[in-house]
């Protein structure tokens, strides 16, 4: 097994305090602070520690003090903890892996790369990645049980982490001779080892959204909710990483991270793969006599972007943007679901039988296409006519029966 993985440790501690304050009638302030500390160790010493205090500020103001006009606002900062996967690079007992590749012309095995050597990772003076989020909204009751409101949301994430390779001389295709391969002679110290430096990168993601919401609260046996969101998500760190773990995978070399310039960095900044420009949702429920109720949900989202990459099989595989990030888009998606439920009041609770149909109209819409071309031996870029090939679609119509018991 991996000795380092067994001995590396991570400690986390968090505390949160919040208080609500009403300086006058109709105005409530919510003030909070979150304390986070995380620390990682290898089998010998403490390596890395982050300690952060994140504010939470919010307010709700009943403008006319009549319960019908409410203004809300919030600001929050969220810090990410240390990512444990980086710790193994600092282990004093880490196992080395050497990779060779069969050369058909020379009919021999040739050295490709070696990684995981002791002390193969350097630690920069880095800080915790974070996300700042602002929101501001207004809601008004325009009729009994009917309200209309709007919200603006802004979110920005910065200081992502990256384990950048620092020992190889890159020519844009890997190595120094343009053959798309790595060799010991291409490395600065002549060892052929991949060596990494872990630290913050200047990449960032930004999300802006305007939301309009109309709702009819439950009364007279029915309820309804409708919303429309106009949004835009941009950046130069892929959302699959930045959205959940604060790790970037797109700044692996200096060639990538030179302010969007260079064979890997060009076209770096653009629309994120989670950008959905338009989103509309409508849902409602009606309660009939004798314990029956029926509901329906319809949703439409405009297509998310996808990219055109070259795929390089060196360095364990990485992607090079050929075109502007987010230049291509999937088609918009429609989803319509219905539910019917019959419930029975029992002395010890409520028993419900549910009948659901998902994707009622059996729409088949593309959810993933092939985004990669290839770089052939010798550094020749192959545009790959399989680019855009459909890989997956939405699930077909599905019927589901269920039982629910509440008590």
């Amino acid at each position: 097994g991996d000795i380092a993985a067994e001995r590396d440790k991570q400690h986390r501690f968090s505390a949160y305090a919040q208080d609500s304050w009403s300086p006058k009638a109709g105005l409530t302030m919510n003030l909070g602070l979150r304390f986070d500390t995380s620390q990682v160790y290898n089998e010998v010493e403490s390596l890395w520690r982050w300690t952060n205090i994140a504010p939470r500020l919010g307010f709700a103001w009943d403008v006319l003090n009549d319960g019908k006009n409410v203004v809300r606002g919030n600001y929050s900062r969220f810090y990410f903890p240390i990512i444990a996967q980086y710790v193994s690079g600092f282990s004093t007992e880490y196992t080395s892996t050497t990779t060779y590749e069969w050369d058909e012309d020379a009919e021999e095995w040739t050295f490709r790369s070696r990684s995981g050597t002791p002390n193969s990772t350097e630690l920069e003076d880095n800080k915790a990645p974070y996300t700042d989020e602002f929101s501001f909204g207004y809601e008004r009751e325009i009729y009994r049980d009917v309200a209309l409101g709007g919200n603006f949301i802004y979110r920005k994430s910065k200081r992502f982490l990256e384990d950048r390779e620092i020992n190889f001389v890159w020519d844009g295709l890997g190595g120094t001779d343009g053959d798309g391969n790595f060799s010991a002679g291409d490395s600065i110290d002549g060892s052929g080892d991949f060596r990494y430096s872990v630290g913050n990168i200047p990449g960032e993601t930004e999300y802006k959204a305007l939301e309009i919401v109309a709702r009819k609260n439950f009364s007279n046996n029915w309820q309804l909710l409708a919303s429309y969101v106009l949004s835009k998500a941009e950046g130069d760190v892929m959302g699959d990483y930045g959205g959940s773990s604060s790790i970037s995978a797109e700044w692996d070399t200096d060639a990538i991270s030179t302010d969007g310039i260079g064979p890997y960095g060009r076209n770096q900044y653009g629309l994120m793969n989670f950008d959905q420009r338009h989103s509309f949702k409508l849902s409602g429920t009606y309660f009939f006599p004798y314990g029956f109720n029926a509901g329906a949900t319809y949703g439409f989202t405009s297509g998310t972007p996808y990219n055109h990459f070259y795929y390089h099989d060196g360095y364990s595989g990485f992607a090079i943007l050929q075109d502007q990030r987010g230049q291509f888009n999937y088609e918009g998606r429609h989803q319509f679901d219905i539910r019917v439920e019959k419930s029975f009041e029992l002395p010890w609770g409520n028993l419900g039988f549910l009948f659901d149909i998902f994707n009622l109209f059996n729409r088949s819409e593309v959810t993933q296409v092939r985004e990669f071309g290839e770089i052939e031996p010798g550094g020749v870029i192959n545009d790959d006519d399989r680019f855009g090939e459909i890989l997956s679609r939405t699930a077909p119509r599905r019927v589901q029966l269920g039982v629910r018991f509440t008590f």
Side-chain angles (χ1 to χ4, degrees), residues 303-319:
T304 54
Y306 64 92
N307 299 298
H308 191 180
F309 293 104
Y310 296 131
Y311 182 79
H312 192 316
D313 61 358
Y315 189 42
S316 302
F318 58 87

Side-chain angles (χ1 to χ4, degrees), residues 60-114:
W61 179 28
D62 185 348
V63 180
L64 300 178
N65 204 26
D66 60 359
K68 296 183 177 181
N69 297 270
V70 180
V71 176
R72 295 183 177 88
N74 289 279
Y75 163 71
S76 300
R77 171 167 286 194
F78 305 92
Y79 285 102
F80 293 93
I82 296 173
I83 307 303
Q85 72 184 62
Y86 283 145
V87 182
S88 58
F90 299 96
S91 173
T92 60
E93 301 182 31
Y94 199 69
T95 304
S96 175
T97 300
T98 302
T99 302
Y100 293 87
E101 184 177 74
W102 179 254
D103 187 329
E104 293 186 358
D105 295 330
E107 295 187 346
E108 62 181 17
W109 291 97
T110 59
F111 173 85
R112 182 62 179 274
S113 65
R114 182 163 59 248

Side-chain angles (χ1 to χ4, degrees), residues 189-294:
D189 63 5
S191 67
D193 295 332
F194 287 132
R195 300 194 183 279
Y196 306 92
S197 179
V198 177
N200 301 121
I201 59 174
E204 62 183 34
T205 62
E206 183 179 61
Y207 174 80
K208 294 174 284 188
L210 178 64
E211 179 185 39
I212 305 298
V213 180
R215 63 182 168 83
K216 193 274 182 187
N217 294 330
F218 179 73
S219 63
N220 300 320
N221 297 324
W222 67 286
Q223 61 189 12
L224 188 70
L225 178 66
S227 67
Y228 167 75
V229 179
L230 174 66
S231 65
K232 189 175 185 179
E234 297 179 291
D236 49 12
V237 180
M238 187 65 77
D240 290 343
Y241 298 86
S244 59
S245 64
S246 81
I247 303 176
S248 163
E250 301 176 326
W251 298 66
D252 276 352
T253 73
D254 289 338
I256 297 178
S257 58
T258 312
D259 297 326
I261 301 173
Y264 299 92
R266 68 172 185 265
N267 310 319
Q268 184 84 349
Y269 195 91
L271 296 175
M272 294 284 92
N273 61 350
F274 55 88
D275 175 73
Q276 288 183 329
R277 194 57 47 87
H278 304 281
S279 177
F280 174 75
K281 295 180 181 179
L282 178 66
S283 62
T285 306
Y286 190 88
F287 288 78
F288 297 90
Y290 308 110
F292 284 96
N293 72 79

